[in-house]
């Protein structure tokens, strides 16, 4: 059985910066989210709904990067708003969000899915969860990567985008994700992406360095938040102790 190897990104506090709110999720997504999470946020905003597995994947990721529970409820209620009245949302969906944040049921501190678990996810029609590098065909993946040009300030290098498509075609999904990171951030990485939160943390670090923000400055700006997230590992990686991946299902509302 394949295991997740790399830095421990299960700790919510290690990713928090104190600036993720319901109002700016989409702006932050366009700059810092991996394609799997950008796809979910875009589909949610377009369709005003995600099915259960998509909500699960995105909610736990947003939790991991520091979106507070109260802001998460506002975010999802707003996105569902055009199709789902507030009272129906509060009755059918809010409990599951609180459960994912460990505030209902057994009050378990659920962690975000790592890449291996995301890659294993399968879905049907109108389901958008899982890894786009695995689930999209070549044309759909090229289209998705081309849209990154319109969403990000750092344009995706066309050569890196095509390299990502070819890596995905060969089944190297995490390396494909790393190619996309290199193409949008214009930096080099020597390992594949192991966790969506790793992608996010590395993206924030690239922007911080370009903006002249040091870890100490970031902590000061965040009012004493936790230290900067761990750097992307290089070379060989060693196993780390992480909580087992979980798939809480308190309410399987479609």
């Amino acid at each position: 059985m394949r295991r997740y190897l790399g830095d421990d990104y299960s700790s919510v506090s290690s990713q928090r910066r104190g600036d993720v709110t319901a109002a700016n999720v989409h702006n932050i997504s366009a700059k810092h989210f991996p394609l799997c999470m950008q796809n979910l946020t875009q589909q949610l905003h377009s369709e005003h709904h995600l099915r259960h597995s998509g909500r699960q994947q995105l909610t736990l990721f947003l939790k991991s990067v520091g979106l507070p529970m109260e802001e998460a409820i506002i975010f999802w209620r707003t996105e569902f708003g055009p199709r789902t009245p507030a009272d129906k949302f509060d009755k059918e969906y809010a409990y599951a969000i609180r459960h994912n944040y460990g505030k209902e049921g057994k009050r378990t501190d659920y962690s975000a899915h790592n890449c291996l678990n995301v890659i294993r996810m399968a879905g049907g029609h109108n389901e958008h969860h899982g890894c786009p590098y695995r689930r999209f065909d070549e044309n759909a993946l090229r289209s998705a990567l081309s849209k990154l040009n319109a969403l990000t300030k750092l344009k995706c290098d066309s050569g890196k985008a095509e390299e990502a498509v070819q890596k995905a075609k060969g089944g190297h999904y995490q390396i494909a994700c790393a190619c996309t990171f290199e193409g949008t951030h214009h930096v080099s990485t020597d390992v594949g992406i192991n966790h969506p939160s790793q992608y996010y943390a590395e993206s924030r670090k690239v922007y911080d360095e370009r903006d002249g923000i040091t870890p100490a400055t970031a902590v000061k700006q965040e009012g004493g938040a936790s230290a900067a997230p761990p750097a992307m590992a290089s070379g060989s990686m060693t196993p780390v102790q992480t909580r087992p991946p979980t798939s809480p299902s308190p309410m399987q509302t479609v």
Side-chain angles (χ1 to χ4, degrees), residues 30-31 148-156 184 186 207:
K31 293 169 66 175
L148 294 175
N149 292 342
L151 292 173
T152 56
K153 292 182 178 180
L154 295 175
K155 304 300 182 183
C156 186
T184 54
H186 298 272
Y207 273 77

Side-chain angles (χ1 to χ4, degrees), residues 8-138:
D8 184 357
Y9 282 85
S10 63
S11 173
V12 176
S13 61
S14 69
Q15 311 308 320
R16 284 186 171 172
R17 295 175 54 93
D19 61 353
V20 185
T21 67
N24 66 14
V25 165
H26 288 290
N27 288 336
I28 291 177
S29 169
K31 293 169 66 175
H32 303 300
F33 285 12
L35 184 60
C36 56
M37 300 305 169
Q38 283 201 31
N39 180 55
L40 286 170
T41 56
Q42 290 167 20
Q43 295 295 338
L44 170 62
H45 194 62
S46 174
E47 299 177 9
H48 307 294
H49 188 269
L50 283 177
R51 296 177 71 88
H52 175 78
S53 294
R55 297 197 303 272
Q56 194 84 47
Q57 183 180 347
L58 183 56
T59 296
L60 292 176
F61 172 77
L62 291 174
K63 172 189 172 187
S64 78
V65 301
L67 183 69
M69 185 186 73
E70 295 80 6
E71 290 290 313
I73 292 174
I74 294 171
F75 170 74
W76 286 98
R77 185 187 290 124
T78 301
E79 293 297 330
F80 272 45
R83 290 181 54 179
T84 307
D87 57 345
K88 180 178 180 180
F89 175 88
D90 290 340
K91 180 180 179 180
E92 298 184 7
Y93 299 101
Y95 176 89
I97 296 172
R98 296 194 299 270
H99 189 275
N100 285 334
Y101 274 76
K103 303 301 182 183
E104 298 284 0
K106 295 181 180 179
R107 300 184 181 273
T108 302
D109 184 18
Y110 296 107
S111 57
H113 300 300
N114 62 49
C115 287
L116 290 181
N117 288 300
V118 172
I119 289 169
R120 292 188 186 110
M121 292 179 174
H125 184 61
N126 288 332
E127 293 185 297
H128 305 292
H129 57 275
C131 175
Y133 299 100
R134 182 186 180 189
R135 294 198 59 187
F136 288 4
D137 61 30
E138 286 188 53

